């Protein structure tokens, strides 16, 4: 097993339950936050999850730390349910674990990523979406 595969497996063990697309939609419907960390080219090509916060991976921790000066307005408290979305559900597992390490104990990720969302027939908005500003 490669080092990154071992790290990913460890991250997923620590996360425990990862959500499927329908569970992610339910999190959003009940006030949780869906966070799309895909880069702009993928969002332009495939679209976005309606209502998801767009934060590219390199800005994630700064934007979602409720105690940080550079936080997004949506990052209101450590108890916020957060579902991180990448393209296929790999980078999002590592990102969600990083958020947990910041104290966002309800952070998890979407198994299968944006592609699973799309396959589930859930809504997709066209275009890149609005990204939270730079740090």
């Amino acid at each position: 097993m490669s080092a990154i595969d071992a790290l990913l497996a460890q991250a997923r063990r620590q996360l425990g339950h990862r959500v499927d697309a329908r569970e992610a939609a339910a999190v959003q419907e009940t006030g949780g936050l869906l966070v799309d960390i895909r880069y702009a080219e993928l969002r332009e090509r495939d679209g976005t999850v309606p209502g998801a916060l767009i934060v590219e991976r390199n800005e994630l921790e700064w934007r979602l730390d409720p105690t940080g000066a550079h936080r997004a307005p949506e990052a209101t408290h450590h108890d916020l349910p957060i579902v991180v979305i990448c393209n296929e559900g790999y980078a999002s597992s590592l990102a969600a674990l990083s958020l947990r390490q910041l104290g966002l104990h309800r952070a998890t990720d979407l198994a299968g990523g944006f592609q699973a969302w799309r396959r589930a027939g859930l809504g997709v908005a066209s275009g890149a979406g609005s990204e939270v500003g730079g740090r």
Side-chain angles (χ1 to χ4, degrees):
M1 175 182 286
S2 71
I4 188 59
D5 288 335
L7 183 63
L8 180 61
Q10 178 183 11
R12 288 180 173 170
R13 279 192 305 277
Q14 290 178 331
L15 287 174
H17 180 69
R18 300 170 69 218
V19 299
D20 66 23
R22 300 232 178 259
E23 290 171 307
V27 167
Q28 186 179 45
E29 288 170 10
T30 59
L33 188 60
L34 303 186
V35 181
D36 187 339
I37 63 169
R38 295 174 302 141
Y39 54 90
E41 186 177 313
L42 288 177
R43 296 190 317 268
E44 289 169 8
R45 183 189 76 190
D46 295 338
T48 60
V49 172
L53 180 66
I54 307 297
V55 182
E56 288 196 18
R57 176 63 188 97
N58 63 321
E59 295 283 329
L60 184 67
E61 290 81 2
W62 283 271
R63 297 292 171 231
L64 292 183
D65 178 2
T67 66
H70 301 287
R71 73 172 181 82
E74 296 86 350
T76 55
H77 53 85
H78 284 95
D79 198 41
L80 183 66
I82 297 171
V83 177
V84 181
I85 303 170
C86 68
N87 195 48
E88 295 181 337
Y90 295 96
S92 58
S93 295
L94 300 173
L97 182 58
S98 180
L99 293 179
R100 289 244 182 126
Q101 292 168 338
L102 284 176
L104 296 156
H105 64 97
R106 297 178 71 187
T108 190
D109 74 319
L110 173 57
F114 178 82
Q115 298 308 321
W117 179 276
R118 189 165 59 175
R119 280 191 306 275
L122 298 170
V124 173
S126 62
S130 298
E131 185 176 341
V132 173
R135 182 181 158 311

